[in-house]
Amino acid sequence: MVIVMAPGATQDDIESVVEAVGAAGGEAFVSRGVNRTIIGLVGDVERFATLNLRAMPGVADAVRVSTPYKLVSRDNHPDRSTVTVQGVPIGPDTVTLIAGPCAVETPQQTLEAAEMAKAAGATLLRGGAFKPRTSPYAFQGLGEAGLRILADVREKTGLPIVTEVVDAHDVALVASYADMLQVGTRNAQNFALLQAVGAAGKPVMLKRGMTATIEEWLMAAEYIAQRGNLDIVLCERGIRTYETATRNTLDISAVPVVQRLSHLPVIIDPSHSGGRRDLVLPLSRAAIAVGADGVIIDVHPHPEQALCDGPQALVDGDLDELAQIMQEFPKLVSRTLTTSPSA
Amino acid sequence: MVIVMAPGATQDDIESVVEAVGAAGGEAFVSRGVNRTIIGLVGDVERFATLNLRAMPGVADAVRVSTPYKLVSRDNHPDRSTVTVQGVPIGPDTVTLIAGPCAVETPQQTLEAAEMAKAAGATLLRGGAFKPRTSPYAFQGLGEAGLRILADVREKTGLPIVTEVVDAHDVALVASYADMLQVGTRNAQNFALLQAVGAAGKPVMLKRGMTATIEEWLMAAEYIAQRGNLDIVLCERGIRTYETATRNTLDISAVPVVQRLSHLPVIIDPSHSGGRRDLVLPLSRAAIAVGADGVIIDVHPHPEQALCDGPQALVDGDLDELAQIMQEFPKLVSRTLTTSPSA
Amino acid sequence: MVIVMAPGATQDDIESVVEAVGAAGGEAFVSRGVNRTIIGLVGDVERFATLNLRAMPGVADAVRVSTPYKLVSRDNHPDRSTVTVQGVPIGPDTVTLIAGPCAVETPQQTLEAAEMAKAAGATLLRGGAFKPRTSPYAFQGLGEAGLRILADVREKTGLPIVTEVVDAHDVALVASYADMLQVGTRNAQNFALLQAVGAAGKPVMLKRGMTATIEEWLMAAEYIAQRGNLDIVLCERGIRTYETATRNTLDISAVPVVQRLSHLPVIIDPSHSGGRRDLVLPLSRAAIAVGADGVIIDVHPHPEQALCDGPQALVDGDLDELAQIMQEFPKLVSRTLTTSPSA
Amino acid sequence: MVIVMAPGATQDDIESVVEAVGAAGGEAFVSRGVNRTIIGLVGDVERFATLNLRAMPGVADAVRVSTPYKLVSRDNHPDRSTVTVQGVPIGPDTVTLIAGPCAVETPQQTLEAAEMAKAAGATLLRGGAFKPRTSPYAFQGLGEAGLRILADVREKTGLPIVTEVVDAHDVALVASYADMLQVGTRNAQNFALLQAVGAAGKPVMLKRGMTATIEEWLMAAEYIAQRGNLDIVLCERGIRTYETATRNTLDISAVPVVQRLSHLPVIIDPSHSGGRRDLVLPLSRAAIAVGADGVIIDVHPHPEQALCDGPQALVDGDLDELAQIMQEFPKLVSRTLTTSPSA
């Protein structure tokens, strides 16, 4: 942490900061400039944060220079991690395709979507049974009945299941069906939920909050990690900006940025970021090219009947092209497409 | 809802839309232009939303023209509402001051802050026992011990308590102490929590999500209202923008905008929006002047020791000016400062 | 400037930074922490900026801690300034009302709008002859004919003129008519224009770029000041955010923030920020209450016929309330409403 | 255009709208709903815009449903265009690499950068002689001396020149040296400049304003096109968002979105969007993969000495990888890397 003193700070002001830091077990190094004095602090930053140094007389600013996250940081864990979901790896050597319906609606629709996903190269099945919806009048998901459908489709297709949990107190229930728990964008700062999935003993896919900074996203992962679970896959899914041509703005640069800061795998969701079917394939190509560790895609056998996010789902006619992208692009970034462990 | 057809839409495309709408129990009115055809829909918009009309051939766009919220809308409830918390009104005729510490830390600190609040004209006491924090290493609040402190201070000062609840399953506990439940900015789309506070039988203060549109904010209120609770006070507390000089950007225009759309009272939090003590008094003046139904302010007897948000808390030396603002400004907008029911 | 070294930076890396700073005539103070080393620089920051210290081996970040603007900064000019336009002051002791039509359309419309403005308490007349428009198919203003109309109306009403200039090479022409030159939001980084108005010898109203940070806005003012013109009034007019309920989001906090950083006067434009007539009066009240040095407002005798921004113009029926606000609110912030010098 | 009437609109209100539209030579189709009436307008939208229909009694909203740009729209020009700069094509069948120094500093630096660019596969040379800088104290470019250096390097390397013009009145001078004129992000709404480059008879590269919507960007192109110049290449270079980890957020989705709306070529600038050298290669791969018609990249022989944007420039050690990307990725999207016409 660096303390920047105001131009008019007195010698007493400077000494007060030095004393406060010393009393908290830290050391303070003073650099006197022509207009300003800067004080570099060494010690426990969390401890310093409780001192409210910024509120002390003569202090203009307090700048944090170390990262506030530890367990998920690459500083302490230089090699990038691979998270394995029932034998399916997500990590630096592979590209993993996760696909399925946005929402589980019927057994038939879920099975057809899973077969579409598998045909395109998917090794994990996505599908929502609990849906967080902006409107209380919109379809909220089938709940446990949806989880049972997913489990049934897993048995038929061999695809492990990724599904969302929206409330801390549903974690045990969802974890009893799911192979990987998803925390959605609206819950990126639902700390009770983050802690509960951290304790659930299953891999977690953590979507970026639609307005989370990269640092806040990594802090959310830190909440999960702190409960002993480092099997976390980060998922960039678009951020809120002033542009309205797309539902959100895919922050594709976040992938290499996060890969430098954290050892956790990072995948991209090209379906939810744009909210438009015509963008899914171009953004999937870009995702692999930029170095994402996977993509997660909505597919639906009959999107015109979908109860949720139909306009963005890929359909049968798109699958050949998706399959071809999944075959050709990973090589170009020295990766291979993940295959099923049983295959 | 209005369906905008693409320039190249065929007669068949148009008829398909008309049929789909008819099959869903609605009516469709077709306006043929030189380049485009527009179809106006009459009927149940939620039903239409499930049709995925936007995904039909020849459809360029589907524009919603009615508001998606009902219970909180002023369309169906033209008079603005007053919410009463233990006899303290928040509504169109008054300005209500809510003040107190950001976080409950000790009995002494809470009592001193409550007395500061009361001296400045506050009739409700704010104070957090459960704190949602970006970092898992930051102070998370005292939990139930904090609630007991608040109850004790209420007894000593006569000020009813507003306090935050962060998890659906804590609602009963928090409601057993609180006079008004607060839903914080990070939980603005925690739908399980919104539904739980909707069923708790206590007035609710709903902070705007720091990246929520006004429509999303009102939809969050609709979740609460749908469970039978219309005692909701909306609180504008700043939104996330590109500007970094303030923690968030206070969207002061949101107050008159929301007051046109919804009958619910709207207050402003000048402490959290700016995150800077020097902005609190100017923004409080602006809040009353723009027509807010109240303000909620952080005060702290010793902000340099605060465990949370010390830099924004008002201190003893600010209270006279705050009290003066609360005395003088309400008259100018034809309101009176709320007084305690027992006073 | 503070240099933050990466965790793995070597002693050689640190020495290279120290040497580079020394070679540029500066001094470097090294603070060694457990994980990181911080180097505080003293000397000419502009010179340091050319060193690309951030690109040197082992450097993680370079943080600027002094303000990059000088002439407009309050650091070197502690008292807030008053800018005088033909005897009309804009500054810390007064509230100045500037009003008039968004665009000059006809002599009759301009005169009527000016009389409306004057009746409400305005002492300066706004009106655009050169209009920057997003669409090349929209009305672009009357040009010099519009300036002549303004000059004529000035003679009839006694109100000095504020009008926009959109191209560096029109500055001499516009300055030959105008009493104050306006630089609009779309030209906030048109540096050729800023320099030209800086050399024109007339007071300048500098609108904030609709996506400018406060620092960028002050840097734009610095471009004007550098040409010898310190008669600059800053005008907050709303920034671009994700919220679409208003055209832009009025950043009302920017007023007290800028008043701390710069000695220049700051006014608010409640008409363009919201783009809605129903917000103009509430936001005008808030502007005065927050401490703005003035407001600039669109009025139009027949807004339904306006060629530009009609929906936001105040009409006859609003003027009594505006006049009342201008009479009552300045007192509350220990100011007086500016009156005409001849009055 | 669609007019949405308020719930309480009267029959008279509706008829007034219909009459106003008829008087302006248009037709109005009325759709009466249970709660609201919708009126679809057919005719000249620009004409309707002057009617201020939104301000009429009983009108809740006026929604534009056709695009406001015409010449650059794909509606009227279905095939995507190719722009040719001295024989070098930029269009749908190729990927064109433009590279060079951010700023021209010396003949030696510019020549070395041009040779680096050429070695990596570039067929056009970028380099700034006129630099728009946020600070008046920063290096502003060499002006005409820089243009002469560029012309000299063009002669030595055979690479046509792309260079920025920042003021309408410099257009003739810059055009006398340049093969393609660049309009930078800060001038995206400098309409005088847009019109001047539209009349200059040279191809134009139009960078997206850092806070421009896609529609505003296309309207800026329309200003150029309206003066008779359709040789416009659009360049996405990142938009301003709340995220601070990168200088701007590359809006990669804008490429396929714009390619649907407009026939103009679209390229990506991965250097300025991120402002970080380590992001340039991953984003270049993503740019080609998403379907961009080219990329424009900063290279510098000695970035640690660069007077402008050194931290983002590629260096010698990066060139082999860049060259390899340019060789391998275009094939995957059924394109070829552009080669020099003389090669």
Side-chain angles (χ1 to χ4, degrees):
Chain A
M1 186 171 266
V2 175
I3 303 301
V4 181
M5 302 302 291
T10 65
Q11 180 59 21
D12 278 3
D13 293 342
I14 294 167
E15 281 170 16
S16 300
V17 172
V18 172
E19 277 163 31
V21 171
E27 277 182 285
F29 296 85
V30 178
S31 311
R32 278 168 222 280
V34 177
N35 291 310
R36 285 171 185 273
T37 292
I38 294 157
I39 308 177
L41 309 194
V42 177
D44 177 356
V45 178
E46 295 306 326
R47 183 79 189 279
F48 297 156
T50 65
L51 299 178
N52 280 336
L53 296 168
R54 201 188 293 252
M56 289 183 69
V59 173
D61 204 0
V63 183
R64 192 165 193 149
V65 296
S66 61
T67 54
Y69 40 85
K70 323 254 171 249
L71 302 170
V72 305
S73 167
R74 209 164 162 180
D75 280 358
N76 309 315
H77 188 311
D79 289 335
R80 298 196 56 230
S81 299
T82 295
V83 170
T84 304
V85 182
Q86 295 291 353
V88 176
I90 305 174
D93 301 324
T94 47
V95 172
T96 303
L97 174 60
I98 307 170
C102 181
V104 171
E105 295 161 15
T106 67
Q108 179 63 15
Q109 164 257 8
T110 306
L111 180 60
E112 285 182 40
E115 284 166 350
M116 289 169 68
K118 204 170 174 179
T123 43
L124 293 169
L125 173 65
R126 63 151 295 157
F130 293 90
K131 302 298 303 173
R133 300 302 295 275
T134 301
S135 168
Y137 305 109
F139 175 63
Q140 312 273 324
L142 297 180
E144 188 168 4
L147 297 174
R148 281 193 298 264
I149 292 174
L150 283 169
D152 198 48
V153 170
R154 170 175 54 194
E155 199 164 322
K156 288 180 173 132
T157 61
L159 294 174
I161 302 167
V162 183
T163 195
E164 182 166 356
V165 55
V166 298
D167 186 359
H169 295 263
D170 295 332
V171 168
L173 172 68
V174 178
S176 72
Y177 290 91
D179 300 295
M180 182 177 219
L181 297 170
Q182 177 179 318
V183 176
T185 189
R186 288 173 183 77
N187 285 308
Q189 293 201 312
N190 182 337
F191 302 119
L193 178 60
L194 294 170
Q195 291 172 329
V197 299
K202 293 268 171 146
V204 178
M205 175 184 305
L206 176 63
K207 290 210 160 184
R208 181 179 182 177
M210 74 178 76
T211 52
T213 61
I214 287 173
E215 186 170 305
E216 288 168 342
W217 188 17
L218 292 175
M219 289 310 288
E222 188 84 5
Y223 262 96
I224 298 171
Q226 219 198 10
R227 295 293 164 118
N229 187 349
L230 274 168
D231 286 336
I232 306 164
V233 173
L234 301 167
C235 179
E236 160 64 34
R237 48 78 66 213
I239 61 173
R240 178 162 280 178
T241 70
Y242 67 83
E243 177 59 67
T244 56
T246 44
R247 187 160 57 179
N248 289 121
T249 298
L250 180 68
D251 182 9
I252 198 165
S253 314
V255 172
V257 169
V258 167
Q259 287 174 342
R260 294 216 147 214
L261 296 172
S262 172
H263 57 91
L264 300 177
V266 191
I267 67 171
I268 279 180
D269 179 340
S271 302
H272 284 78
S273 54
R276 291 168 51 160
R277 182 183 147 206
D278 64 329
L279 299 183
V280 175
L281 294 177
L283 293 179
S284 296
R285 292 195 305 259
I288 304 176
V290 89
D293 301 313
V295 288
I296 178 165
I297 290 177
D298 281 16
V299 298
H300 198 288
H302 306 288
E304 71 286 358
Q305 300 166 8
L307 296 179
C308 168
D309 286 341
Q312 77 199 24
L314 292 189
V315 297
D316 257 338
D318 304 313
L319 293 186
D320 284 354
E321 193 174 343
L322 177 60
Q324 197 182 346
I325 291 170
M326 301 313 298
Q327 289 302 325
E328 292 181 356
F329 273 75
K331 290 176 231 166
L332 277 193
V333 287
S334 308
R335 294 172 182 249
T336 55
L337 178 64
T338 299
T339 51
S340 283
S342 54
Chain B
M1 188 173 266
V2 174
I3 303 301
V4 181
M5 303 302 290
T10 65
Q11 180 58 23
D12 278 3
D13 294 342
I14 293 167
E15 282 170 13
S16 300
V17 172
V18 173
E19 279 164 28
V21 170
E27 277 182 286
F29 296 85
V30 178
S31 312
R32 278 168 224 279
V34 176
N35 291 309
R36 287 171 184 272
T37 293
I38 293 158
I39 308 176
L41 309 193
V42 176
D44 177 357
V45 177
E46 296 305 326
R47 184 82 188 278
F48 297 155
T50 66
L51 298 177
N52 279 337
L53 295 167
R54 201 189 292 252
M56 290 184 70
V59 172
D61 204 1
V63 183
R64 192 166 194 150
V65 295
S66 61
T67 53
Y69 40 86
K70 322 248 171 258
L71 301 171
V72 306
S73 168
R74 210 165 160 177
D75 280 358
N76 309 315
H77 189 309
D79 289 333
R80 297 197 56 229
S81 299
T82 295
V83 171
T84 304
V85 183
Q86 295 289 355
V88 177
I90 306 173
D93 301 324
T94 46
V95 171
T96 303
L97 174 61
I98 307 170
C102 181
V104 171
E105 296 162 14
T106 66
Q108 179 63 16
Q109 165 256 8
T110 307
L111 180 60
E112 286 182 41
E115 283 166 349
M116 290 168 68
K118 203 171 175 180
T123 42
L124 292 170
L125 173 66
R126 61 152 296 158
F130 292 89
K131 302 298 304 174
R133 301 301 296 274
T134 303
S135 167
Y137 305 109
F139 175 63
Q140 312 272 324
L142 297 179
E144 189 170 1
L147 296 174
R148 280 194 297 263
I149 293 173
L150 284 170
D152 198 48
V153 170
R154 170 175 52 196
E155 198 163 321
K156 288 181 172 133
T157 61
L159 295 174
I161 302 167
V162 183
T163 195
E164 182 167 358
V165 55
V166 298
D167 186 359
H169 295 262
D170 295 333
V171 169
L173 171 68
V174 178
S176 72
Y177 290 90
D179 300 296
M180 182 178 220
L181 298 170
Q182 177 180 319
V183 176
T185 190
R186 290 174 182 76
N187 285 309
Q189 294 202 309
N190 183 336
F191 302 118
L193 178 61
L194 294 170
Q195 290 171 329
V197 300
K202 293 268 170 146
V204 178
M205 175 184 307
L206 176 63
K207 290 208 161 186
R208 180 179 184 179
M210 75 177 78
T211 52
T213 61
I214 286 173
E215 185 170 306
E216 288 169 343
W217 188 18
L218 293 174
M219 289 308 289
E222 188 83 4
Y223 263 96
I224 297 170
Q226 221 198 8
R227 297 290 164 118
N229 187 347
L230 274 167
D231 286 336
I232 306 165
V233 173
L234 301 167
C235 178
E236 160 64 34
R237 48 77 67 212
I239 60 174
R240 179 162 280 179
T241 70
Y242 67 83
E243 177 59 68
T244 57
T246 43
R247 186 160 58 179
N248 289 122
T249 298
L250 180 67
D251 182 8
I252 199 164
S253 314
V255 171
V257 169
V258 166
Q259 287 173 344
R260 294 216 147 215
L261 297 172
S262 172
H263 56 90
L264 300 177
V266 192
I267 67 171
I268 278 181
D269 179 342
S271 303
H272 284 78
S273 54
R276 288 168 50 161
R277 182 183 146 205
D278 65 330
L279 300 183
V280 174
L281 294 177
L283 293 178
S284 296
R285 292 195 305 257
I288 303 175
V290 89
D293 302 312
V295 288
I296 178 166
I297 290 178
D298 281 16
V299 297
H300 197 289
H302 306 290
E304 72 287 357
Q305 299 166 10
L307 296 179
C308 170
D309 287 340
Q312 77 198 24
L314 292 189
V315 298
D316 257 339
D318 304 313
L319 292 187
D320 283 354
E321 194 174 342
L322 176 61
Q324 197 182 346
I325 291 169
M326 301 313 298
Q327 288 302 326
E328 292 182 358
F329 274 74
K331 292 175 230 168
L332 278 193
V333 287
S334 308
R335 295 172 181 246
T336 55
L337 178 64
T338 299
T339 51
S340 283
S342 53
Chain C
M1 186 173 265
V2 174
I3 303 301
V4 181
M5 302 303 291
T10 66
Q11 179 60 21
D12 278 3
D13 293 342
I14 293 167
E15 282 171 13
S16 299
V17 172
V18 172
E19 279 164 28
V21 169
E27 277 183 286
F29 296 86
V30 178
S31 310
R32 278 167 223 280
V34 176
N35 290 310
R36 286 172 184 269
T37 293
I38 293 158
I39 308 178
L41 308 195
V42 176
D44 176 358
V45 178
E46 296 305 325
R47 184 83 188 277
F48 297 156
T50 67
L51 298 177
N52 280 337
L53 296 166
R54 200 189 292 252
M56 290 183 69
V59 172
D61 203 1
V63 182
R64 193 165 193 149
V65 294
S66 60
T67 54
Y69 40 86
K70 322 251 170 255
L71 302 171
V72 306
S73 168
R74 210 164 161 178
D75 279 359
N76 309 313
H77 189 310
D79 289 334
R80 295 197 58 230
S81 300
T82 296
V83 170
T84 306
V85 182
Q86 295 290 355
V88 176
I90 306 174
D93 301 324
T94 47
V95 172
T96 304
L97 173 60
I98 308 171
C102 181
V104 172
E105 295 162 14
T106 67
Q108 179 63 17
Q109 165 256 8
T110 307
L111 181 60
E112 285 182 41
E115 283 165 352
M116 291 168 68
K118 204 170 172 179
T123 43
L124 292 171
L125 173 65
R126 62 151 297 156
F130 293 89
K131 302 298 303 173
R133 301 301 296 275
T134 302
S135 167
Y137 305 110
F139 175 62
Q140 311 273 324
L142 297 180
E144 190 171 1
L147 296 174
R148 279 194 299 263
I149 292 174
L150 284 168
D152 197 48
V153 170
R154 170 176 50 196
E155 200 164 320
K156 287 181 173 134
T157 60
L159 294 174
I161 303 167
V162 184
T163 196
E164 181 167 359
V165 54
V166 298
D167 186 358
H169 295 262
D170 294 335
V171 168
L173 172 69
V174 178
S176 72
Y177 290 91
D179 300 297
M180 181 177 218
L181 298 170
Q182 177 180 322
V183 176
T185 189
R186 289 173 182 78
N187 284 308
Q189 293 202 311
N190 182 337
F191 301 118
L193 178 61
L194 294 170
Q195 290 172 330
V197 300
K202 294 268 171 148
V204 178
M205 174 185 305
L206 176 64
K207 290 207 159 184
R208 181 177 183 180
M210 75 178 76
T211 52
T213 61
I214 287 173
E215 185 170 306
E216 288 169 341
W217 188 17
L218 292 174
M219 289 309 288
E222 187 83 4
Y223 262 95
I224 298 171
Q226 220 199 8
R227 296 291 164 119
N229 187 349
L230 273 166
D231 286 336
I232 306 166
V233 173
L234 301 167
C235 178
E236 161 64 34
R237 46 80 64 213
I239 61 174
R240 179 163 279 179
T241 70
Y242 67 82
E243 176 58 69
T244 56
T246 44
R247 186 160 59 179
N248 289 120
T249 298
L250 181 68
D251 182 8
I252 200 165
S253 314
V255 172
V257 169
V258 167
Q259 288 174 343
R260 295 216 147 214
L261 296 173
S262 172
H263 57 90
L264 300 178
V266 192
I267 66 171
I268 278 181
D269 179 342
S271 303
H272 285 80
S273 54
R276 290 168 50 160
R277 182 182 146 205
D278 65 329
L279 301 182
V280 174
L281 294 177
L283 293 179
S284 297
R285 292 195 305 258
I288 302 175
V290 89
D293 302 311
V295 288
I296 178 167
I297 290 178
D298 282 14
V299 297
H300 197 290
H302 306 290
E304 72 286 358
Q305 298 166 9
L307 296 178
C308 168
D309 286 341
Q312 78 199 24
L314 292 190
V315 298
D316 257 339
D318 304 314
L319 292 187
D320 283 355
E321 194 174 343
L322 176 61
Q324 197 182 347
I325 291 169
M326 300 314 299
Q327 289 302 324
E328 293 182 356
F329 274 74
K331 291 176 233 166
L332 277 193
V333 286
S334 309
R335 294 174 182 244
T336 55
L337 178 64
T338 298
T339 52
S340 285
S342 54
Chain D
M1 187 172 264
V2 174
I3 304 300
V4 181
M5 301 303 290
T10 65
Q11 180 60 22
D12 278 1
D13 294 341
I14 293 167
E15 282 170 15
S16 299
V17 171
V18 173
E19 277 164 31
V21 170
E27 278 182 284
F29 296 84
V30 178
S31 310
R32 279 169 222 278
V34 176
N35 290 311
R36 285 170 185 272
T37 294
I38 293 158
I39 309 177
L41 308 195
V42 177
D44 176 357
V45 178
E46 297 306 326
R47 184 81 189 278
F48 296 156
T50 66
L51 298 177
N52 281 336
L53 296 167
R54 199 188 294 251
M56 289 183 70
V59 172
D61 203 0
V63 183
R64 192 165 194 149
V65 295
S66 61
T67 55
Y69 39 86
K70 322 254 170 249
L71 302 171
V72 306
S73 168
R74 210 165 161 179
D75 280 358
N76 310 312
H77 188 310
D79 290 334
R80 297 197 56 231
S81 299
T82 296
V83 170
T84 305
V85 182
Q86 295 290 353
V88 177
I90 305 173
D93 301 324
T94 48
V95 172
T96 303
L97 173 60
I98 306 171
C102 182
V104 171
E105 295 161 14
T106 67
Q108 179 63 16
Q109 165 256 9
T110 307
L111 181 60
E112 285 182 40
E115 284 166 349
M116 290 168 68
K118 204 170 174 179
T123 44
L124 292 171
L125 173 65
R126 63 151 297 157
F130 293 89
K131 302 298 303 173
R133 300 302 295 277
T134 302
S135 168
Y137 305 109
F139 175 61
Q140 311 273 324
L142 297 180
E144 189 170 2
L147 296 175
R148 281 194 297 263
I149 292 173
L150 284 169
D152 197 49
V153 170
R154 170 175 53 194
E155 199 164 320
K156 288 181 172 132
T157 60
L159 294 174
I161 302 166
V162 184
T163 197
E164 182 167 358
V165 54
V166 298
D167 186 359
H169 295 262
D170 294 333
V171 168
L173 172 69
V174 178
S176 72
Y177 290 91
D179 300 296
M180 181 177 220
L181 297 170
Q182 177 180 319
V183 176
T185 189
R186 289 174 182 76
N187 285 307
Q189 293 202 311
N190 182 337
F191 302 118
L193 178 61
L194 294 170
Q195 290 172 330
V197 300
K202 294 267 170 148
V204 178
M205 174 184 304
L206 177 64
K207 290 207 159 184
R208 181 177 183 180
M210 75 178 77
T211 52
T213 61
I214 287 173
E215 186 171 303
E216 288 169 340
W217 188 18
L218 292 175
M219 289 309 288
E222 188 83 3
Y223 262 95
I224 298 171
Q226 220 198 11
R227 296 291 164 119
N229 187 350
L230 274 167
D231 286 337
I232 306 166
V233 173
L234 301 167
C235 179
E236 160 64 34
R237 49 76 68 212
I239 61 174
R240 179 163 280 177
T241 70
Y242 66 82
E243 176 59 68
T244 56
T246 44
R247 188 161 56 179
N248 289 120
T249 298
L250 181 68
D251 182 7
I252 200 164
S253 315
V255 172
V257 169
V258 167
Q259 287 174 344
R260 296 216 145 215
L261 296 172
S262 172
H263 56 92
L264 300 178
V266 191
I267 67 171
I268 278 182
D269 179 342
S271 302
H272 285 78
S273 54
R276 289 170 49 160
R277 182 181 146 204
D278 64 329
L279 300 182
V280 176
L281 294 177
L283 293 179
S284 297
R285 292 195 306 258
I288 304 176
V290 90
D293 302 312
V295 289
I296 178 166
I297 290 177
D298 281 14
V299 297
H300 197 289
H302 306 289
E304 72 287 359
Q305 298 166 9
L307 296 180
C308 168
D309 286 342
Q312 77 198 25
L314 292 189
V315 298
D316 256 339
D318 304 312
L319 292 187
D320 283 356
E321 193 173 343
L322 176 61
Q324 198 183 345
I325 291 169
M326 301 312 300
Q327 288 303 323
E328 293 181 356
F329 274 74
K331 291 177 231 168
L332 278 193
V333 285
S334 309
R335 294 176 182 243
T336 56
L337 178 64
T338 298
T339 51
S340 284
S342 54

